[in-house]
Amino acid sequence: MDVLLDALAYLRDADSWTGQGGMLELLVQQLLVTVTALAAAMLVGLPVALWLGHLGRGGFLAINISNVGRAVPTFALLAIFVAGDAWAWTGGAFPGTGTVGPYGRAGISTLVALALFALPPLITNAYVAVREVPPEVRESARGMGMSGWQQFRRAELPLALPLVMSGVRLALVQVWATATIAALVAGPGLGRVITDGFFRTDYGKGIAGAIVVAAVALVLEVLAAAVQRWLDPVRRAARTGERAVSPEVSTLEPAAREGG
Amino acid sequence: MTLLAQADDGPSCYGRLTNEWLCWDYVVDYRPEIVEATTQHVAITIVSVLFGLALSFPLALLARRLPRLESTVLGVSTGLYTVPSLALFPLLVPFTGLSATTVVIGLGLYALTVLVRAILEGLRAVPEEVRESARGLGYGDGRLLLRVELPLAVPVVMAGLRVATVSTVALTTVGSLVAYGGLGNLIAEGVQSNFRAQLLTAAVLCVALAVLLDVVIVAAQRVLTPWTRTAG
């Protein structure tokens, strides 16, 4: 168990955290990459999935496409993105290994790969969330003379929100954990601590990196769960004294994480 | 994908100067290496999923028996999920070394998360009146589970198995960290030597493999649940 003691020693050492390439810098870098990638995936995936759910059409296709997306290893995507000068033809618009802003080396490649990786859980959960709104709610909304957009905006969306959020929560934790893979192509983030420790057979360091990544993942999970509770329409109604309908929505399976 | 085989006397599409993404010559010349990597990939994936399955059945049954344990089982398996794959391997190496075992244990634990949930949900989906009828016919616990509950849970369990298998195929590539990543080894090599044909070929094979295994599982499900096909 010396390895674990080495890991603790590495975690206790202030030098591991500070300075250029220290764990703090890498942690912030990975958080930035994770949040940006997730936001991009939400902007692209959620509107499409929610609206398809509202129409009740094309969902089968959307869900199947996102399942195929699960089969694409993130490692392979990253590898293709950073293959030397592969993107010369974009005139530098897509810097394979370039450093852009605060995202570190190959940051943009990592962002794109992770955003693609986040799409399947987001799309699946959002689509199912809208489909699971009880039909009588939809009927009532229509009976009150609401237009399609109003039905969606005032009845379906608020009721679907908890399940949409659990998709976001899942994607957040998975993107954070998968971001470590960027280190395999010398990208940004804490994965570097793990691979470094590994290639120098300094397993204590590798395990220390793993512990930090897992700890932050747990913190993200707890924070996301708190936000999700706060957004729950039933609870909000209880807070503001309105009446609300509560659909008995069960949370979906955690979609499996692919990485690689 | 249409790959144009080069004429024999022409320059090859991979090499110091030409570095094409699609290159049939690469596939021809490196065939033994590709076959070996693919075989390793398939083996690691299947063994990992089976390992996860073997662990998740007793866990799910235990969680069902003792409701107090259920949240613990689900909590621990979800907690495992927050540990990134890349991190799991260094954690295991001091115990299992740089071996395929390390990769299989790591991936099996990931598959477990999805599978335990799927099995629990599948068993829950069995209607109570079906259980009652079976008990009325004199079925004991064991026979009830094997002959009634598990067969009826197959569709839900299989859905979980599909997700677990497809993800495991993708995750296996990360095993290249300990030199047992199947096609991931080719990808890692391709990154280091900037060998585009090898990169893309390995990536495409990964996806093809995932789709193929998915199809196999769906076919197996149809065979296992003949009653679902006669629903008229």
Side-chain angles (χ1 to χ4, degrees), chain B:
Chain B
M1 285 186 34
T2 49
L3 295 173
L4 295 172
Q6 296 265 335
D8 284 341
D9 53 342
S12 174
C13 50
Y14 66 88
R16 199 179 296 273
L17 295 171
T18 45
N19 193 4
E20 302 284 333
W21 286 105
L22 297 173
C23 174
W24 191 246
D25 280 355
Y26 162 75
V27 178
V28 174
D29 296 350
Y30 283 74
R31 200 172 148 195
E33 201 181 302
I34 297 172
V35 170
E36 192 192 352
T38 311
T39 316
Q40 190 190 76
H41 205 109
V42 174
I44 288 177
T45 300
I46 290 178
V47 175
S48 303
V49 172
L50 288 178
F51 172 63
L53 208 53
L55 280 180
S56 54
F57 261 110
L59 276 176
L61 291 178
L62 201 68
R64 194 169 67 133
R65 257 290 145 80
L66 309 162
R68 239 181 293 165
L69 262 183
E70 187 177 337
S71 55
T72 315
V73 168
L74 288 180
V76 169
S77 63
T78 309
L80 271 178
Y81 229 66
T82 59
V83 181
S85 47
L86 199 63
L88 210 55
F89 299 142
L91 281 172
L92 292 168
V93 165
F95 307 102
T96 49
L98 296 172
S99 65
T101 315
T102 304
V103 182
V104 166
I105 292 176
L107 297 180
L109 289 177
Y110 278 136
L112 181 91
T113 316
V114 182
L115 291 171
V116 166
R117 275 173 197 273
I119 294 167
L120 272 173
E121 245 172 62
L123 290 174
R124 258 196 227 116
V126 177
E128 197 50 48
E129 48 273 29
V130 171
R131 265 192 212 100
E132 296 285 325
S133 320
R135 286 202 191 288
L137 288 167
Y139 277 67
D141 275 349
R143 231 163 45 111
L144 176 72
L145 180 71
L146 286 177
R147 306 284 305 275
V148 179
E149 290 178 307
L150 283 182
L152 286 176
V154 162
V156 181
V157 174
M158 282 294 198
L161 189 64
R162 284 175 69 184
V163 172
T165 307
V166 169
S167 312
T168 306
V169 172
L171 263 177
T172 300
T173 51
V174 183
S176 67
L177 187 70
V178 293
Y180 283 92
L183 292 160
N185 295 345
L186 296 187
I187 295 173
E189 256 176 53
V191 170
Q192 275 148 19
S193 56
N194 186 24
F195 190 169
R196 289 178 192 168
Q198 180 162 309
L199 260 181
L200 193 66
T201 308
V204 168
L205 278 173
C206 263
V207 177
L209 195 61
V211 172
L212 182 75
L213 288 175
D214 197 38
V215 169
V216 168
I217 295 173
V218 173
Q221 185 183 333
R222 281 180 64 93
V223 172
L224 283 173
T225 55
W227 58 90
T228 55
R229 275 171 296 176
T230 54

Side-chain angles (χ1 to χ4, degrees), chain A:
Chain A
M1 297 321 281
D2 292 347
V3 184
L4 287 177
L5 294 175
D6 291 349
L8 281 176
Y10 187 84
L11 288 171
R12 280 216 193 92
D13 184 4
D15 287 349
S16 330
W17 292 89
T18 52
Q20 187 84 40
M23 281 207 284
L24 270 180
E25 190 194 25
L26 293 173
L27 196 155
V28 171
Q29 212 174 46
Q30 188 168 337
L31 265 181
L32 268 174
V33 169
T34 301
V35 171
T36 315
L38 185 67
M42 282 167 76
L43 275 176
V44 174
L46 288 185
V48 175
L50 289 170
W51 195 246
L52 283 177
H54 168 74
L55 296 175
R57 277 202 300 264
F60 178 74
L61 193 68
I63 286 181
N64 271 299
I65 289 176
S66 67
N67 277 345
V68 172
R70 271 194 194 127
V72 181
T74 308
F75 177 31
L77 268 185
L78 273 170
I80 289 168
F81 287 163
V82 300
D85 317 323
W87 308 98
W89 53 272
T90 62
F94 190 90
T97 52
T99 305
V100 177
Y103 295 115
R105 183 186 180 271
I108 302 299
S109 297
T110 310
L111 268 180
V112 175
L114 288 175
L116 288 172
F117 165 73
L119 283 174
L122 288 175
I123 288 177
T124 310
N125 274 279
Y127 176 80
V128 173
V130 180
R131 289 315 313 146
E132 288 208 346
V133 171
E136 48 273 27
V137 172
R138 223 169 264 143
E139 292 292 318
S140 317
R142 199 174 308 141
M144 287 166 73
M146 289 188 188
S147 66
W149 170 249
Q150 283 174 321
Q151 274 175 49
F152 173 73
R153 180 64 203 81
R154 298 175 55 187
E156 291 172 336
L157 190 59
L159 290 178
L161 212 50
L163 195 49
V164 176
M165 269 307 294
S166 61
V168 171
R169 187 174 128 190
L170 193 76
L172 173 68
V173 176
Q174 291 187 0
V175 169
W176 165 261
T178 306
T180 48
I181 290 174
L184 290 177
V185 295
L190 283 164
R192 283 197 184 187
V193 181
I194 300 170
T195 48
D196 256 12
F198 203 83
F199 290 131
R200 298 187 187 155
T201 54
D202 178 357
Y203 291 123
K205 183 179 177 182
I207 291 172
I211 290 171
V212 174
V213 175
V216 176
L218 284 176
V219 171
L220 289 175
E221 170 74 29
V222 170
L223 283 177
V227 171
Q228 192 181 350
R229 270 200 301 276
W230 183 78
L231 283 175
D232 188 333
V234 181
R235 284 170 190 266
R236 287 179 74 166
R239 269 203 309 270
T240 55
E242 283 175 42
R243 305 231 324 262
V245 196
S246 156
E248 288 301 317
V249 180
S250 63
T251 45
L252 273 186
E253 280 297 303
R257 177 169 78 209
E258 85 273 19

